[in-house]
Amino acid sequence: SQQGEEDPQALSIQEGENATMNCSYKTSINNLQWYRQNSGRGLVHLILIRSNEREKHSGRLRVTLDTSKKSSSLLITASRAADTASYFCATDAYNAGNMLTFGGGTRLMVKP
Amino acid sequence: GAGVSQSPSNKVTEKGKDVELRCDPISGHTALYWYRQSLGQGLEFLIYFQGNSAPDKSGLPSDRFSAERTGGSVSTLTIQRTQQEDSAVYLCASSSFQTGGYTFGSGTRLTVV
């Protein structure tokens, strides 16, 4: 079963708008990561947030983590057509070594 | 190399044949992972190698699937007697314990006809 579940499954916005994707998980974690995937091939690591962190920024990306609610959100500000991709959250569970469990992903489409 | 390399990038095989998929991780990364992804789906964990420890094979879907990692570097995922439901993109990733983030290869798209 999947540890992370993304919401929404699909999101369509206009260029320049902000995109928010949410992720919920079930068990205690060491960290939570977000990845991006273009065209169904390799994933690219975007950002890692540790369980003792609440918010992290990287360029136009902002990630929040609420361990009490077992949830995270990824915000992409001022979206661009090139941001069109699938976005996955992945959790490094507390007793799973360094192994990540991925959610089903959010398919983001940014219309020019 | 600078990234994780997978070969072949595409493989079409007949049902019942065996296939081998190769992954060359980033030099120095002690952890190596295999996942597979069916069309439009999330990633399904298959197997995890960490250093010299016994691999975590808990995700392998059947005994037709096996994987090796030789010399702590290159890994080969073998699927015997392929079935149509094995069709998917097989993704390999490596990581170092210090960073935690995975670096993925571009995957092998396997089609069983």
Side-chain angles (χ1 to χ4, degrees):
Chain A
S1 61
Q2 292 177 348
Q3 162 77 318
E5 298 286 344
E6 284 91 342
D7 167 52
Q9 291 187 335
L11 180 61
S12 180
I13 59 173
Q14 292 295 134
E15 203 165 30
E17 294 179 340
N18 296 340
T20 300
M21 290 161 269
N22 303 296
C23 169
S24 60
Y25 58 92
K26 297 173 184 172
T27 64
S28 296
I29 61 171
N30 288 321
N31 65 67
L32 185 144
Q33 305 178 33
W34 285 90
Y35 287 79
R36 166 194 167 123
Q37 183 181 40
N38 289 78
S39 305
R41 298 309 286 255
L43 282 73
V44 174
H45 180 254
L46 295 177
I47 197 165
L48 180 154
I49 186 166
R50 302 195 184 279
S51 60
N52 61 352
E53 297 176 311
R54 292 296 167 258
E55 187 170 314
K56 205 161 185 180
H57 297 254
S58 176
R60 292 183 297 112
L61 305 181
R62 172 177 168 249
V63 169
T64 61
L65 179 64
D66 186 336
T67 52
S68 67
K69 295 180 180 178
K70 292 187 168 57
S71 68
S72 173
S73 67
L74 171 67
L75 169 67
I76 304 174
T77 61
S79 64
R80 305 166 182 168
D83 295 329
T84 296
S86 291
Y87 292 82
F88 293 87
C89 72
T91 51
D92 177 354
Y94 189 69
N95 61 350
N98 210 28
M99 189 187 83
L100 291 179
T101 303
F102 287 80
T106 292
R107 294 184 300 281
L108 174 66
M109 175 173 288
V110 181
K111 300 176 184 176
Chain B
V4 176
S5 177
Q6 289 189 246
S7 62
S9 57
N10 289 283
K11 176 71 176 180
V12 180
T13 190
E14 292 181 352
K15 179 181 173 181
K17 295 284 179 71
D18 298 351
V19 295
E20 284 189 353
L21 312 180
R22 176 187 168 105
C23 174
D24 200 342
I26 291 176
S27 177
H29 278 191
T30 57
L32 185 148
Y33 314 82
W34 284 97
Y35 288 81
R36 76 175 175 182
Q37 185 179 31
S38 300
L39 187 65
Q41 301 298 310
L43 275 71
E44 176 189 3
F45 166 73
L46 296 177
I47 188 168
Y48 161 41
F49 296 89
Q50 174 61 58
N52 296 320
S53 302
D56 178 349
K57 303 180 181 180
S58 60
L60 294 179
S62 78
D63 59 8
R64 297 186 295 106
F65 287 72
S66 62
E68 290 185 338
R69 188 179 186 191
T70 54
S73 181
V74 172
S75 177
T76 302
L77 176 69
T78 301
I79 309 173
Q80 296 178 308
R81 304 181 303 281
T82 51
Q83 304 295 313
Q84 286 186 330
E85 61 262 28
D86 299 335
S87 297
V89 175
Y90 288 80
L91 293 160
C92 174
S94 69
S95 73
S96 67
F97 194 76
Q98 290 79 8
T99 60
Y102 287 10
T103 301
F104 277 86
S106 296
T108 294
R109 185 180 300 279
L110 175 67
T111 304
V112 182
V113 297

